[in-house]
Amino acid sequence: MLSARRFFRLFLKATLIAGITGFATLMIGRHIMISKAGEKADQIIQALELENADDLSDQDFTHLTRLVFDNFEQTTHSNYPEIIAARFVTNHRLPDWIRLPNGVMEMLFNRGECNNAASQLTFVLKQLGYKSRQWDMVAEGGGHSALILERDNGDQLFLDPFFGLVAVDTEAGQLISPAHAQQLIRKGQHPDEVFRLLSDGSDASFYQSFASVKMAAQGDNLILDYSLPALHGQTITIGQLDSSIADIMSGGSNNNISAYWHYVGHRYSREWVRKLKAQDDLILEISLIQDATDNILTASPAPSVEGKTLSWSLKKGEEITFTDGEAKLSLSRLNSYLDVDRIVISPR
């Protein structure tokens, strides 16, 4: 019979072997995935038939964006296993030897939402030696992500591989940045003149309201500041106590505060800073679907909490700031947000 000391030594040895084996398997798997993603990126690059791979032209970047658009499978379903996995395996909190480079999962599975298409194009551009960043945009009716390419001379080019278009200054005959595109539209150019469709399936619907879109590069704070609707002595109710966020999203859009007040905490981007400003002396009540959790409530000033209802008493001109990036992860739900069930704005 084994002595306790002998058993313990064997147990430690087996654990060490299992740990080393697991580590080696993880490293080998990571290497294979990156290698396969690189092969797929090379296939796209070969299809470009580049004359000079060291100095791509606007036409080359346009062609590349169209290739990704034509081959990427668009989906609005974020519950596919690989899409969920991509959020975790590329998380910046993971050590380098585990974390996958941005775009690897998208190259391997070739489907996803707008941010996934941007990640795939980012990966291909990196293979070519170009830097790019995801470009996040929020309109009153919804949000979208595309890409900005950063040239060595500081120029930025706007590429959208999900909707299949690029931003163009037609007079100058060159690709332009999203800020330049917005400036042209605010000066009177129609969005259809600024955003060039690249394929039969391209869609510029989102860009029709581009003049008022709020936007920033991923990694920079995206300020989403809105004024609460004027009350004129009346109470405004957005949504019902029905455990659904759908009516909050539509009601928020209809009341010109955007569709993105259906949660508190962090749901989409840790760079989002959302603000609500009072146009009257008022009481704001936000009823949650889940129980309020202190480490997810990031509003300043802090609300009064009663059950699932958060409330603020505001004077005209005062505002509430929701810093999404400060929300902590809930280990029980594996997310960092609480759903909103109803919003009530009433005179004070």
Side-chain angles (χ1 to χ4, degrees):
M1 180 179 294
L2 288 175
S3 67
R5 180 177 294 180
R6 172 76 171 164
F7 175 80
F8 184 65
R9 286 177 178 173
L10 289 173
F11 175 76
L12 286 180
K13 185 177 181 180
T15 301
L16 181 61
I17 293 172
I20 294 173
T21 303
F23 176 80
T25 302
L26 197 62
M27 292 293 291
I28 293 171
R30 179 180 182 274
H31 175 75
I32 291 173
M33 293 178 74
I34 294 173
S35 178
K36 291 292 184 183
E39 291 174 6
K40 287 180 176 291
D42 288 341
Q43 292 174 6
I44 295 175
I45 293 170
Q46 289 173 10
L48 284 174
E49 300 179 347
L50 298 173
E51 294 183 3
N52 184 1
D54 296 325
D55 186 20
L56 270 65
S57 65
D58 282 7
Q59 184 177 353
D60 293 327
F61 291 124
T62 300
H63 187 193
L64 176 57
T65 304
R66 183 177 65 79
L67 285 174
V68 172
F69 169 74
D70 285 341
N71 291 284
F72 191 81
E73 181 184 344
Q74 298 182 9
T75 176
T76 56
H77 299 292
S78 58
N79 57 348
Y80 285 120
E82 68 271 16
I83 297 176
I84 295 173
R87 299 173 194 151
F88 289 94
V89 298
T90 60
N91 191 290
H92 69 279
R93 295 184 179 89
L94 293 176
D96 292 342
W97 56 271
I98 295 178
R99 185 174 64 247
L100 286 176
N102 187 30
V104 168
M105 295 292 285
E106 286 79 6
M107 291 303 309
L108 295 177
F109 294 98
N110 198 41
R111 69 176 177 183
E113 300 176 300
C114 53
N115 61 304
N116 302 113
S119 293
Q120 185 180 98
L121 182 53
T122 291
F123 187 87
V124 178
L125 287 167
K126 188 175 181 180
Q127 297 291 101
L128 288 163
Y130 289 92
K131 297 179 181 179
S132 59
R133 298 172 72 186
Q134 181 173 306
W135 188 257
D136 296 326
M137 299 162 281
V138 177
E140 288 187 359
H144 179 55
S145 295
L147 199 71
I148 52 167
L149 169 76
E150 300 175 350
R151 284 187 175 275
D152 291 338
N153 63 3
D155 288 348
Q156 294 183 337
L157 311 182
F158 182 80
L159 314 172
D160 187 337
F162 190 78
F163 284 142
L165 52 82
V166 294
V168 181
D169 184 331
T170 52
E171 284 192 14
Q174 62 186 26
L175 299 184
I176 56 175
S177 70
H180 190 176
Q182 192 171 65
Q183 185 180 42
L184 291 176
I185 293 170
R186 287 176 174 174
K187 286 182 176 180
Q189 284 199 38
H190 194 278
D192 290 343
E193 298 178 86
V194 177
F195 294 104
R196 177 184 295 166
L197 304 182
L198 305 180
S199 188
D200 291 341
S202 297
D203 182 6
S205 300
F206 174 83
Y207 294 94
Q208 300 309 304
S209 60
F210 196 70
S212 60
V213 160
K214 302 176 190 294
M215 54 189 183
Q218 188 178 57
D220 297 339
N221 281 345
L222 176 51
I223 308 299
L224 306 176
D225 50 342
Y226 300 96
S227 292
L228 289 164
L231 297 178
H232 304 295
Q234 304 295 315
T235 294
I236 294 177
T237 301
I238 301 175
Q240 302 178 22
L241 294 176
D242 55 4
S243 297
S244 170
I245 64 172
D247 49 3
I248 296 291
M249 296 184 72
S250 59
S253 181
N254 292 338
N255 282 277
N256 300 318
I257 60 172
S258 88
Y260 291 103
W261 293 100
H262 60 286
Y263 71 95
V264 296
H266 155 247
R267 183 162 187 161
Y268 297 104
S269 170
R270 289 199 171 272
E271 285 77 38
W272 283 18
V273 178
R274 297 174 295 145
K275 299 184 178 184
L276 288 174
K277 188 173 184 178
Q279 296 192 65
D280 309 273
D281 294 348
L282 56 81
I283 303 292
L284 173 65
E285 295 181 336
I286 295 180
S287 297
L288 305 173
I289 294 177
Q290 299 90 4
D291 291 330
T293 308
D294 287 341
N295 63 354
I296 292 181
L297 301 181
T298 65
S300 177
S304 298
V305 181
E306 185 174 346
K308 296 182 180 181
T309 300
L310 318 177
S311 62
W312 295 262
S313 178
L314 300 176
K315 294 181 179 179
K316 181 178 180 179
E318 291 183 337
E319 67 180 16
I320 309 168
T321 300
F322 298 79
T323 306
D324 288 14
E326 294 179 357
K328 302 298 189 294
L329 177 68
S330 168
L331 296 178
S332 62
R333 295 195 315 278
L334 294 179
N335 63 39
S336 305
Y337 63 86
L338 300 166
D339 294 307
V340 171
D341 204 6
R342 184 181 69 182
I343 298 174
V344 177
I345 314 160
S346 55
R348 196 172 73 170

